[in-house]
Amino acid sequence: MVDHLVHRRKPASFRRLGARSTVLAGLFLLGAASPAALSAQHGTDGNFHDLFARKTASSEPQEPVTIETRTTAESRAGVRRLRIGDFQYLSDSERDYAGYDLGAGSWDTFAAVLGSAVADEFVTQAAIAKIPVNSIDVIFTSRPDTPEVAKTHKVSYPRNLAYVAYIDSPASDAQLDALRKAVDQASSVLGIVREPVPLAHGTVNLTASPAKRDPNLPPGLRDFLVEKRTAILRRRQRAADAARSGTPRPPSAGLRAHARVDPATGIRLTRTGGHVILHDGWRRPGESPRAPSVEQHIIGVLGTCLTHIFEVQAAQKQIVLDGVELRTRATLVPRSTSGPARFRDVSYSVDITSPEPAARITELREAVEGSCPIYNLLKDSQGIESRVVRGPYRETPS
């Protein structure tokens, strides 16, 4: 039985992107690359007074919002290009996994989005509570489970999530702790991780391509998958050699993302995995955002991770693919007097171009959904530890 599979004659065409299109992961294309520079651009002295005023005026959505993202496996490079409106992020692997490290991978990006979401929610909740703040930094981390945890043998994804918020404020300890609790309860991005998401099978739209590729065409995605398979086999061989020799595996450092709020604009600059990712907040009608929101990006990370695992599983199973374009969709129900903002109706569909029969593509989709880290993370539920440290964040010398 082939369920959720639709045949199409032509792949969907790309929508032309606007002039504000940017690549925000790997290549940080913003002239003002520090909070101080952003504040200077806007003529402020670096305090949060004007930002709090805008937050209390509520620029957030007042009605349910549909979030749509699109991720494309980019031909011979295999890099995942995520489009959110008129903005773009690149998600890539390291060179030993057949990537070029052009952008943060899905795991690093996931940590960055959560750290940025926490920082943004601290701004919102401080504005609501009228708590004065001088600076907000958030360190978001994930530590791997020990091998004894049974779930790690089924599917691997970021675990043991935690954040530390560094808040420079004259508020009392009790006020800051109440602020932390309000953030934990109100954040829609933390909520989608803490609460299991009912994710149905993705819909696959299959377009047939020739079994033998035109030799006059440049190398494409099927060529990338050959290199990806080689990288996967090399990784397995290294692990097997280490196991035979008794060489202990080096401990994983886990994930770490550092988000800092610009007090003039509310923009968060988040460093993760050697890359910088930019997020903005929702804007009032007529105002243009400088980057996607974290609510949009968390749905986008689901897309980049699924797209990468389509590549990984196709390479392992030697399934020929000539094109993968994956779309994610969700509805964000805004916060109201009855409760915090929450996501609903999260789903994905994927356009695949391949000479393979439908049964093989269905097999591929099932393997992807059984192993995709972010897909399974969202389907499960996870706790997130949190604490607040009074005072400005100071980088510890390495």
Side-chain angles (χ1 to χ4, degrees), residues 144-187:
D145 282 326
T146 61
E148 291 76 26
V149 178
K151 181 74 172 178
T152 63
H153 301 292
K154 179 181 177 183
V155 59
S156 179
Y157 58 65
R159 300 176 189 277
N160 302 309
L161 307 178
Y163 75 80
V164 180
Y166 293 82
I167 311 294
D168 185 16
S169 169
S172 68
D173 289 347
Q175 285 177 307
L176 292 183
D177 192 55
L179 188 61
R180 175 191 61 81
K181 291 176 181 176
V183 167
D184 287 350
Q185 193 272 337
S187 171

Side-chain angles (χ1 to χ4, degrees), residues 113-124:
V113 172
L114 266 68
S116 180
V118 168
D120 187 44
E121 196 62 48
F122 265 98
V123 173
T124 298

Side-chain angles (χ1 to χ4, degrees), residues 107-108 110-112 114-116 118 138-144 158-166 253-259 271-272 382-387 393:
W107 285 39
D108 288 313
F110 171 80
L114 266 68
S116 180
V118 168
V138 172
I139 304 297
F140 199 98
T141 58
S142 166
R143 293 178 293 100
R159 300 176 189 277
N160 302 309
L161 307 178
Y163 75 80
V164 180
Y166 293 82
L255 305 175
R256 184 182 187 276
H258 174 197
R271 299 186 180 277
T272 182
Q382 284 201 78
I384 302 173
E385 296 180 3
S386 63
R387 65 187 179 98
Y393 174 77

Side-chain angles (χ1 to χ4, degrees), residues 351-374:
D351 296 340
I352 289 181
T353 304
S354 171
E356 303 282 359
R360 285 279 275 165
I361 301 303
T362 298
E363 174 193 348
L364 174 62
R365 186 205 63 196
E366 291 173 351
V368 167
E369 292 179 358
S371 61
C372 176
I374 303 302

Side-chain angles (χ1 to χ4, degrees), residues 13-241:
S13 60
F14 286 169
R15 178 174 64 85
R16 182 179 177 84
L17 297 178
R20 290 186 290 111
S21 299
T22 52
V23 177
L24 297 174
L27 299 175
F28 184 47
L29 303 180
L30 186 69
S34 71
L38 286 168
S39 296
Q41 276 191 342
H42 287 79
T44 73
D45 58 4
N47 64 59
F48 283 77
H49 183 269
D50 291 340
L51 178 59
F52 280 8
R54 292 198 300 275
K55 279 287 185 180
T56 53
S58 184
S59 58
E60 295 186 353
Q62 302 302 302
E63 300 291 336
V65 175
T66 298
I67 294 174
E68 295 179 308
T69 77
R70 179 179 53 169
T71 304
T72 307
E74 290 294 334
S75 192
R76 179 64 181 85
V79 66
R80 280 71 67 191
R81 183 187 300 272
L82 169 63
R83 292 170 170 87
I84 303 174
D86 287 339
F87 297 99
Q88 300 180 29
Y89 294 90
L90 294 184
S91 180
D92 200 7
S93 307
E94 296 180 350
R95 193 69 191 104
D96 70 348
Y97 207 33
Y100 297 90
D101 200 23
L102 296 176
S106 295
W107 285 39
D108 288 313
T109 303
F110 171 80
V113 172
L114 266 68
S116 180
V118 168
D120 187 44
E121 196 62 48
F122 265 98
V123 173
T124 298
Q125 295 302 322
I128 291 172
K130 295 182 171 55
I131 294 177
V133 170
N134 299 317
S135 67
I136 299 175
D137 289 78
V138 172
I139 304 297
F140 199 98
T141 58
S142 166
R143 293 178 293 100
D145 282 326
T146 61
E148 291 76 26
V149 178
K151 181 74 172 178
T152 63
H153 301 292
K154 179 181 177 183
V155 59
S156 179
Y157 58 65
R159 300 176 189 277
N160 302 309
L161 307 178
Y163 75 80
V164 180
Y166 293 82
I167 311 294
D168 185 16
S169 169
S172 68
D173 289 347
Q175 285 177 307
L176 292 183
D177 192 55
L179 188 61
R180 175 191 61 81
K181 291 176 181 176
V183 167
D184 287 350
Q185 193 272 337
S187 171
S188 59
V189 175
L190 296 185
I192 199 175
V193 174
R194 283 199 172 106
E195 302 159 9
V197 177
L199 281 167
H201 289 309
T203 300
V204 179
N205 306 310
L206 177 61
T207 299
S209 58
K212 186 174 181 180
R213 203 161 183 274
D214 186 343
N216 295 317
L217 292 175
L221 185 60
R222 66 169 69 185
D223 302 288
F224 165 76
L225 294 178
V226 173
E227 184 179 350
K228 189 72 167 178
R229 177 175 172 79
T230 301
I232 292 169
L233 294 177
R234 283 175 179 165
R235 278 192 168 193
R236 288 179 178 174
Q237 188 61 52
R238 286 196 298 268
D241 292 344

Side-chain angles (χ1 to χ4, degrees), residues 269-307:
L269 291 83
T270 307
R271 299 186 180 277
T272 182
H275 299 277
V276 176
I277 295 178
L278 193 70
H279 293 119
D280 201 355
W282 297 98
R283 296 283 168 170
R284 288 189 289 268
E287 294 183 338
S288 297
R290 297 171 179 84
S293 70
V294 287
E295 292 86 358
Q296 292 170 308
H297 203 179
I298 193 67
I299 302 303
V301 172
L302 172 63
T304 60
C305 193
L306 281 165
T307 303

